[in-house]
């Protein structure tokens, strides 16, 4: 029997659209028992509504991997324990894909490297900003190159925590991407290039006072405010309450604030209060950054 543990992730971190991401200490776990008849069971806080048959995304990804490496599909008993809320901008689909690839790779004797798994995960997911931190942990940059996605870990264990405020509502990534215009004005491109550079410096030098400016964005957040009432006001409330920086988490609806390690509940309460003023109920979590990424291990 073995287990694969995959972290939740937050993507973009403001201006790093489809490039920057961070892994968080909130996990989905896949338990695999070999030489059993095929069976899938779901467990954990977020098991409702997910398929327990061959249409399950984790299982489909595992089969895709075995097909890719020409490995016969084994008969396995699988348990998926889900603690990452689905369709909220915390990388649940990336966790399913990365977890499925890592489990299938482990079962086949680990023929593929993390770099190769990343390329496969990116092809399935369509953008690398969640799958890279899910695989490698820490704060990551994904660079599209002619030879595939180049993963860079900017900070494996930054000295800060993440407040995630998760609204009750779901938001489909396709819808949240569909609202974005296909072209961007040159001055907005320049704004984001310069702000991603500042953000990168903030993480590498551990100068977190740069995050407030560094996490500003012109490419997607204001545009997505139409889908998430109170988005911009809540990001501002986080800053007023002492967050280093704040941003939409991935394509939303979850909102992210990066806070000092010593931070109390002030940032999350201010964010929840502001969302409530916009008639949105949400739950808040204070999470550490995951520095390990996806792990596969034999268990008793
Ligand atoms: N970079 C993607 C987006 C993240 O903002 O659409 C989706 O999780």
């Amino acid at each position: 029997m073995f287990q694969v543990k995959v972290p939740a992730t937050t993507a973009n971190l403001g201006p790093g659209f489809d490039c920057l991401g961070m892994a968080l200490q909130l996990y989905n776990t896949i338990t695999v028992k070999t030489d059993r008849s095929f069976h899938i069971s779901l467990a954990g806080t977020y098991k409702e509504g997910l398929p327990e048959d061959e249409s399950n995304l984790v299982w489909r990804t595992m089969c895709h991997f075995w097909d890719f490496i020409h490995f016969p599909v084994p008969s396995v008993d699988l348990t998926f324990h889900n603690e990452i809320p689905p369709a909220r901008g915390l990388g649940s689909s990336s966790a399913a894909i990365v977890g499925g690839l890592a489990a299938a790779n482990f079962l086949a004797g680990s023929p593929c490297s993390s770099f190769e798994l990343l390329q496969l995960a990116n092809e399935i997911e369509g953008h690398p900003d969640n799958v890279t931190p899910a695989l490698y942990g820490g704060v990551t940059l994904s660079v599209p190159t002619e030879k595939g996605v180049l993963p860079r870990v900017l900070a494996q264990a930054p000295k800060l925590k993440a407040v995630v405020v998760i609204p009750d509502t779901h938001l489909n990534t396709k819808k949240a991407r569909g609202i974005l215009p296909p072209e961007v004005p040159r001055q907005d491109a320049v704004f984001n290039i310069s702000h991603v550079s500042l953000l990168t410096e903030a993480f590498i030098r551990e100068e977190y006072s740069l995050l407030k400016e560094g996490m500003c964005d012109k490419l997607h957040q204001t545009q997505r405010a139409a889908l998430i009432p109170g988005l911009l006001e809540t990001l501002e409330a986080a800053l007023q309450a002492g967050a280093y920086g704040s941003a939409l988490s991935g394509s939303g609806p979850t909102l992210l604030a990066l806070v000092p390690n010593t931070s109390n509940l002030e940032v999350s309460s201010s964010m929840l209060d502001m969302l409530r003023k916009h008639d949105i109920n949400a739950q808040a979590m204070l999470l550490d950054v995951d520095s390990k990424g996806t792990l596969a291990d034999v268990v008793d």
Side-chain angles (χ1 to χ4, degrees), residues 1-5 28-34 39-41 43 58 62 76-81 103 297 299-300:
M1 181 164 93
F2 67 93
Q3 258 178 3
V4 172
K5 197 174 153 196
N28 282 0
T29 308
I30 301 171
T31 305
V32 183
K33 292 179 188 151
T34 48
H39 186 252
I40 293 179
S41 39
V58 180
M62 293 173 83
V76 283
D77 179 308
L78 303 163
T79 304
F80 304 143
H81 187 110
D297 248 323
V299 290
D300 294 333

Side-chain angles (χ1 to χ4, degrees), residues 4-284:
V4 172
K5 197 174 153 196
V6 198
T9 47
T10 179
N12 300 331
L13 301 177
F17 185 78
D18 281 0
C19 306
L20 291 179
M22 177 188 275
L24 301 169
Q25 290 192 19
L26 179 69
Y27 300 94
N28 282 0
T29 308
I30 301 171
T31 305
V32 183
K33 292 179 188 151
T34 48
D35 300 322
R36 304 285 178 100
S37 41
F38 175 73
H39 186 252
I40 293 179
S41 39
L42 296 168
T45 310
Y46 299 101
K47 62 177 186 171
E48 299 311 324
L50 293 172
E52 279 179 291
D53 58 20
E54 293 185 351
S55 67
N56 185 287
L57 178 58
V58 180
W59 174 248
R60 282 191 285 125
T61 307
M62 293 173 83
C63 292
H64 175 79
F65 179 82
W66 290 321
D67 184 47
F68 178 74
I69 61 163
H70 306 294
F71 187 85
V73 175
S75 190
V76 283
D77 179 308
L78 303 163
T79 304
F80 304 143
H81 187 110
N82 295 341
E83 291 303 322
I84 306 175
R88 301 298 219 295
L90 286 169
S92 62
S93 68
S94 290
I97 292 165
V98 167
L101 290 173
N105 187 42
F106 192 80
L107 201 147
S110 302
C112 287
S113 64
S114 295
F115 180 81
E116 288 165 322
L117 295 184
L118 171 63
Q119 309 313 315
L120 287 169
N122 181 43
E123 273 168 32
I124 301 168
E125 179 74 325
H127 39 86
D129 46 345
N130 289 102
V131 292
T132 302
L135 266 166
Y136 292 91
V139 180
T140 61
L141 168 66
S142 305
V143 185
T145 75
E146 283 180 3
K147 292 181 186 155
V149 177
L150 172 68
R152 303 297 302 169
V153 179
L154 301 177
Q156 199 79 60
K159 299 183 184 78
L160 44 70
K161 287 182 195 276
V163 171
V164 290
V165 173
I166 311 168
D168 282 348
T169 51
H170 292 209
L171 180 55
N172 181 287
T173 299
K174 205 169 159 197
K175 184 173 176 193
R177 290 175 86 80
I179 200 172
L180 304 178
E183 290 177 358
V184 297
R186 184 186 298 178
Q187 68 268 26
D188 290 352
V190 171
F191 183 95
N192 272 48
I193 293 165
S194 54
H195 280 71
V196 169
S197 307
L198 184 65
L199 198 45
T200 303
E201 185 193 1
F203 283 117
I204 290 176
R205 291 187 195 266
E206 299 184 350
E207 272 192 47
Y208 303 132
S209 58
L210 298 176
L211 291 176
K212 182 175 175 187
E213 186 60 41
M215 289 175 80
C216 293
D217 159 79
K218 294 268 188 193
L219 295 190
H220 67 107
Q221 289 189 169
T222 311
Q223 296 82 334
R224 285 170 165 168
L227 299 173
I228 306 162
L231 161 64
L232 300 175
E233 296 85 343
T234 307
L235 296 183
E236 181 56 32
L239 296 177
Q240 295 299 328
Y244 285 133
S246 56
L248 181 62
S249 180
S251 58
T254 292
L255 304 179
L256 166 78
L258 298 181
V259 298
N261 269 335
T262 51
S263 189
N264 54 26
L265 295 177
E266 207 174 321
V267 171
S268 53
S269 348
S270 302
M271 294 173 82
L272 289 171
D273 284 350
M274 185 55 79
L275 281 175
R276 224 172 282 123
K277 282 188 190 150
H278 290 84
D279 294 325
I280 298 201
N281 280 323
Q283 60 157 321

